[in-house]
Amino acid sequence: MKLALAIPSYGDTKAKFTQSLATMLVHTAQADLRDENDERIKLEIETFIVSSSMLTEGRHRLVAEALAWEADYMLWLDADHVFPHDAFVRLWSHNLPIVGANYARRCTPTAPTAAYYDAGDTVAKQLYTTKELAEAGTVEPCAHMGFGLCLMNMKIFDALQDYAEQHGDGNFLPLFKFEPTEDKVGMIGEDVFFFRKCRDAGITPFVDHGLSWNVGHISEIIMTNAHALAHREKWAEVRKKRGDKFDTKAQEIEQQAESEVIA
């Protein structure tokens, strides 16, 4: 099985993202993945990084790279996210065409990136990942989600092409595009555009709420004295824990030295 890691980047990746990626690769390489016949799967992983100031261009190029490499799966990873070490294994285990994480937007106030349609609705509503859904391990269909952590079976591109040949101009491109909203006040993101194409082709994406609870979107914030006052007790707690670690190590060294003297 061939897994393509697709990472669009504008500048350097975030340090915490790199750490998450490293721990995930180690865990994935050691994972005991089994096929439908309970035979161990030999996994081949290739990392594709495209640096471009145009996000839609970068995503198109990454799809092209994965298709040219003849990948079986494509794991989208945005370089400003953190995620658990078993992220891929958990997503892959669902055996779904598209499944990913719902995470907070990088803004204040924030909201989830995933959305869903109620029966009969034409406007998607925000899909919130709650602690209850996370603890229950709920995997839920959605209208669209962000690409920060999203696994796709490459067969979906065959389905998109088939749909384009039957209902369009015979080409599944473009896959990603920014479009103005109906009131022309805002913009529809490239991820929403992509998932609308999937919906037309009969492909349903899913959100893993359990995994989503442990995914973070890295953002810069302005810290003020108001924050310092609000965090006073937490700061003292963190400082104490840090000091306890050094105290414990010092005690271990002292005890070891005493035992060597006695011996």
Side-chain angles (χ1 to χ4, degrees), residues 214-235:
N214 296 308
V215 174
H217 202 168
I218 302 171
S219 175
E220 295 181 2
I221 62 173
I222 298 172
M223 304 302 294
T224 67
N225 281 307
H227 292 94
L229 289 170
H231 297 170
R232 178 185 292 178
E233 293 183 5
K234 186 67 176 179
W235 173 259

Side-chain angles (χ1 to χ4, degrees), residues 164-239:
E165 292 176 359
Q166 296 177 26
H167 304 279
D169 61 3
N171 191 323
F172 65 38
L173 296 175
L175 295 170
F176 308 101
K177 185 178 179 181
F178 290 112
E179 291 185 328
T181 55
E182 290 186 8
D183 59 11
K184 300 183 180 180
V185 173
M187 294 293 292
I188 295 171
E190 89 291 350
D191 44 8
V192 176
F193 180 87
F194 175 84
F195 285 113
R196 284 180 176 177
K197 290 179 72 82
C198 289
R199 185 186 183 193
D200 290 341
I203 305 167
T204 301
F206 287 78
V207 160
D208 181 335
H209 287 292
L211 178 60
S212 300
W213 195 254
N214 296 308
V215 174
H217 202 168
I218 302 171
S219 175
E220 295 181 2
I221 62 173
I222 298 172
M223 304 302 294
T224 67
N225 281 307
H227 292 94
L229 289 170
H231 297 170
R232 178 185 292 178
E233 293 183 5
K234 186 67 176 179
W235 173 259
E237 179 185 339
V238 170
R239 295 283 290 184

Side-chain angles (χ1 to χ4, degrees), residues 8 55 59 75-78 80-81 91 98-105 111-115 127 142-152 176 189-195 205-208 212 215 217:
L55 182 57
R59 293 209 188 281
L75 180 62
W76 291 96
L77 297 163
D78 282 357
D80 58 353
H81 288 68
L91 292 175
I98 304 175
V99 58
N102 184 24
Y103 49 89
R105 300 169 187 265
T113 48
L127 175 61
C142 65
H144 57 78
M145 71 185 87
F147 273 69
L149 179 63
C150 184
L151 181 66
M152 297 181 180
F176 308 101
E190 89 291 350
D191 44 8
V192 176
F193 180 87
F194 175 84
F195 285 113
F206 287 78
V207 160
D208 181 335
S212 300
V215 174
H217 202 168

